[in-house]
Amino acid sequence: MLELRPNCEYCDRDLPPHATDARICSYECTFCADCVERVLFNVCPNCGGGFVPRPIRPRTERRPGVCLGKQPASTKRVHLKRDRVECGEFVRSARDTKPDDR
Ligand SMILES: [Zn+2]
Ligand SMILES: [Zn+2]
């Protein structure tokens, strides 16, 4: 199940479960749309993959046992493990290649 992480790994902005500006990579690395567009240029600094909008988990239990209340978002904040200079170099090495060609 997708781990709905509570913050942007880069700028630490809150990304609650219903944030429409949360972006994730295939490993669930989670960033805000601003960082993805302006700083990361659609390159995940952890894996080199691209991002997609994070799906919204519904609040309303329309099917038994399946909703945000039953599978709550994570509360464990995640922070970038590498320094920003290294991330910048990493992003530059991949940003000109489309995610499906990386
Ligand atoms: Zn951010
Ligand atoms: Zn990633």
Side-chain angles (χ1 to χ4, degrees), residues 55-67:
I56 306 292
R57 187 167 299 167
R59 292 186 181 97
T60 306
E61 189 176 3
R62 294 181 194 284
R63 299 280 193 192
V66 190
C67 64

Side-chain angles (χ1 to χ4, degrees), residues 44-79:
C44 176
N46 300 319
C47 70
F51 291 100
V52 295
R54 186 176 68 188
I56 306 292
R57 187 167 299 167
R59 292 186 181 97
T60 306
E61 189 176 3
R62 294 181 194 284
R63 299 280 193 192
V66 190
C67 64
L68 190 62
K70 296 292 165 93
Q71 292 85 30
S74 167
T75 55
K76 193 175 161 231
R77 297 182 87 82
V78 177
H79 302 288

Side-chain angles (χ1 to χ4, degrees), residues 8-13 15 31-36:
C8 171
E9 217 176 287
Y10 196 89
C11 73
D12 199 34
R13 164 185 318 195
L15 293 172
F31 296 86
C32 71
D34 279 348
C35 288
V36 165

